Amino acid sequence: MNTQSVWRGTAPSPGFGMLNGDLGTEVLIIGGGITGLTLAMLLARQGRQVVLIEADEIGSGTTGHSTGNLYETLSGGLHTIRSGWGEQVVRQVVAERRAAIEFIEEQSRAATGVGFRRCPLVLYAMSPSQQGFVDGEIDTLLRAGAQQERRSSIDAPLPPAAGPVLVLPNQAQIQPQAYATHLARQAAAAGASLHEHTRALQIDARAKIVETATGAITAREIVMATHTPKGIRFVHAEMPVHREYAVALPFGAGMSDPGPGIFWALGDEGLSIRTYDADGQRFVICVGREHPPGAHNAKAALMAVEAAAARHFGAVQPAFRWSAQNYHGADGLPYIGRDSTGCFIATGFATDGLTWGTVAARLIAEELSGSSPAFASLCKPSRLSLIKGAKSILEEVAVTAKSLVKDYLTHRQEEKLSSLAPGDSAIIDSDGGSCAAWRSPQGELFAVSAVCTHMGCKVHWNSVETSWDCPCHGSRFRPDGTVIEGPALRPLAVRHPRSLKSG
């Protein structure tokens, strides 16, 4: 199945070449999403020597698979920040995120295809059980002095509201892939050296050396703008991981237009809805609820989003289907700054990454310039609050332990290669241990180790995205074992068919 996002399908990547040979630089940024690109542009404009490497293409990670929504609130609720951190931190969060949106607006003025537009965010509950969340947000935003409006109902074709509706005016939307491309070109124009298709294979944080397949890079500072930091780090134990699925419906005759806005309908469907226009075609984009990676039925999750979109907007064949991964900070705030290895990281953005990524880049740029931003002290990766984040930390540790025990003490499948039909996948017994096998629709067999190279959990098959996903910390691999995303650095080891029990 083609899982290209509507953003990637309607805007190009900038087309930078891969690294060729060894380099030395002042700052090395790993990751070509909104965080890394914004930081590269800011540092290059300061006259700093900057190298950025991206494993795939600019914007091909979470940035190019996001919703394109920008807002000063949080998807997990500002009222959760208020209960854990207090009203003063709520005000700081709103101020930082509002400033980030204004920064994006300023950068977008000279950009092509970004389509920055101001619009309201509309939050409401589809069932009475979710109304408490909305009421909590209304009260928290009121105390924080944020501008807001309230409605008593919602217009079709949007799902109906079960209670009062919260409207936040003056939020925003962009085409995230086009914005990423613009940032990349601005960074390059300012003197940054950008390299696509250049994967970090080994990171020596002490020596500040990163190895790639085509050269080594030595730097004074390393910034991991990789959505979740590479390697084994304590923050991985603090961050629950989720995937969410999205569809883009081409707008046609008979469909009702929800109009401009970010619409969050809380309920079992958990829908986020917006519109987007590209080359004369209008799309309605629907995003469903979150699922733990490697521990859900990807096809069923995608079908649920398609069914919900059909109920509200008609049985229209989606033009694009895709998904994205997110990592939640244990106490509601992201992790931004220098970690215990001496590298800078930026992670734990939940589903609020475009705005948090911009906040992170601006904070790290200030820290690299010798400043100590007040908000950075709240987000430092070394923080640990057993009171604020205990529940999330324990839940994530439990997920890892459960996955390890379940997959090592039980057999999920026992298959023979001879019975593996085209398009099928299975965990196969082999002489060297279990392996993850998939036969392509054309009949080609791919067999790799079933053990994630990050921390040893067993991978699970994702039939929608044709990938092996780890349920512990979200590492994902292609059928040939290549790393797609997540903290894993090394690919899954290839297993040769002659070593398997083919029966």
Side-chain angles (χ1 to χ4, degrees):
M1 180 184 294
N2 184 353
T3 55
Q4 183 183 49
S5 73
V6 67
W7 319 119
R8 299 274 296 158
T10 57
S13 292
F16 292 97
M18 68 173 59
L19 180 69
N20 185 17
D22 297 345
L23 285 178
T25 188
E26 187 178 356
V27 181
L28 169 63
I29 301 170
I30 306 173
I34 194 168
T35 306
L37 294 168
T38 304
L39 180 60
M41 181 186 71
L42 291 173
L43 294 179
R45 286 178 175 176
Q46 294 173 6
R48 310 289 286 272
Q49 188 182 26
V50 181
V51 172
L52 181 147
I53 59 173
E54 162 56 42
D56 197 341
E57 294 181 346
I58 295 297
S60 62
T62 303
T63 295
H65 292 81
S66 63
T67 61
N69 293 326
L70 309 169
Y71 41 85
E72 58 196 42
T73 185
L74 297 176
S75 58
L78 280 173
H79 64 276
T80 62
I81 300 296
R82 176 185 165 194
S83 63
W85 289 91
E87 291 183 8
Q88 179 58 35
V89 173
V90 170
R91 294 189 185 94
Q92 289 178 274
V93 168
V94 170
E96 290 289 335
R97 290 178 61 83
R98 182 180 297 156
I101 297 170
E102 291 169 354
F103 176 88
I104 294 171
E105 183 175 22
E106 181 181 349
Q107 305 309 311
S108 299
R109 290 194 181 107
T112 301
V114 171
F116 183 98
R117 69 178 182 185
R118 290 287 181 171
C119 65
L121 184 152
V122 182
L123 170 69
Y124 64 97
M126 296 171 61
S127 63
S129 63
Q130 299 291 331
Q131 190 60 44
F133 185 103
V134 179
D135 294 340
E137 286 301 278
I138 290 173
D139 184 56
T140 299
L141 287 163
L142 182 64
R143 290 171 178 267
Q147 185 180 3
Q148 62 170 290
E149 301 168 8
R150 297 180 215 180
R151 298 178 188 169
S152 59
S153 62
I154 202 79
D155 295 332
L158 294 167
V165 177
L166 169 64
V167 180
L168 289 181
N170 210 34
Q171 308 307 295
Q173 293 173 327
I174 57 172
Q175 211 287 22
Q177 178 62 46
Y179 184 66
T181 295
H182 172 70
L183 290 175
R185 289 172 177 161
Q186 291 296 304
S193 179
L194 281 67
H195 304 275
E196 295 181 285
H197 304 289
T198 304
R199 182 180 300 277
L201 300 177
Q202 186 172 330
I203 300 171
D204 187 332
R206 175 171 293 184
K208 295 291 195 296
I209 299 174
V210 173
E211 300 280 350
T212 77
T214 53
I217 305 169
T218 304
R220 293 181 193 172
E221 299 283 2
I222 296 175
V223 180
M224 293 193 195
T226 50
H227 199 45
T228 184
K230 296 292 185 180
I232 298 174
R233 295 167 188 272
F234 184 75
V235 292
H236 294 141
E238 301 184 27
M239 295 191 299
V241 191
H242 300 92
R243 288 194 76 74
E244 54 184 4
Y245 294 82
V247 296
L249 309 178
F251 197 83
M255 290 179 66
S256 298
D257 193 336
I262 304 166
F263 302 98
W264 288 350
L266 305 182
D268 292 338
E269 294 176 348
L271 284 180
S272 169
I273 299 166
R274 66 161 291 187
T275 59
Y276 165 61
D277 297 293
D279 300 324
Q281 175 65 65
R282 190 169 183 80
F283 297 94
V284 177
I285 298 168
C286 297
V287 184
R289 64 185 183 87
E290 297 180 334
H291 303 270
H296 70 283
N297 185 320
K299 187 173 182 179
L302 178 60
M303 289 177 64
V305 178
E306 290 192 30
R311 281 195 295 274
H312 302 294
F313 298 101
V316 181
Q317 184 70 13
F320 296 91
R321 301 175 174 90
W322 72 97
S323 71
Q325 196 147 290
N326 64 77
Y327 302 79
H328 291 242
D331 53 15
L333 293 181
Y335 302 95
I336 302 168
R338 198 185 298 275
D339 73 356
S340 60
T341 71
C343 296
F344 281 85
I345 66 172
T347 188
F349 297 163
T351 55
D352 311 311
L354 294 179
T355 308
W356 272 140
T358 305
V359 170
R362 285 156 59 89
L363 290 177
I364 293 173
E366 288 190 58
E367 290 190 72
L368 285 171
S369 298
S371 300
S372 299
F375 192 69
S377 63
L378 294 174
C379 300
K380 59 184 180 181
S382 60
R383 76 181 189 272
L384 173 62
S385 173
L386 292 177
I387 296 175
K388 293 187 179 75
K391 183 175 183 291
S392 293
I393 293 172
L394 291 174
E395 285 177 352
E396 184 60 16
V397 170
V399 167
T400 302
K402 182 178 179 180
S403 296
L404 283 167
V405 171
K406 176 183 176 183
D407 290 335
Y408 277 96
L409 298 185
T410 63
H411 294 286
R412 283 181 284 147
Q413 297 185 47
E414 291 185 1
E415 297 277 355
K416 295 181 178 181
L417 287 182
S418 58
S419 63
L420 199 61
D424 283 354
S425 65
I427 301 299
I428 307 288
D429 285 335
S430 70
D431 294 337
S434 63
C435 79
W438 175 71
R439 195 179 294 279
S440 74
Q442 294 74 35
E444 184 179 3
L445 176 67
F446 293 85
V448 294
S449 169
V451 179
C452 178
T453 57
H454 180 231
M455 290 186 67
C457 294
K458 291 288 186 73
V459 295
H460 295 232
W461 182 245
N462 181 326
S463 60
V464 169
E465 297 172 282
T466 318
S467 63
W468 292 104
D469 299 353
C470 179
C472 292
H473 303 105
S475 292
R476 300 177 59 242
F477 306 84
R478 294 189 177 92
D480 66 359
T482 304
V483 178
I484 299 174
E485 67 177 308
L489 281 165
R490 293 180 291 111
L492 298 176
V494 175
R495 295 291 179 84
H496 297 286
R498 64 176 177 272
S499 69
L500 305 176
K501 294 180 181 179
S502 57

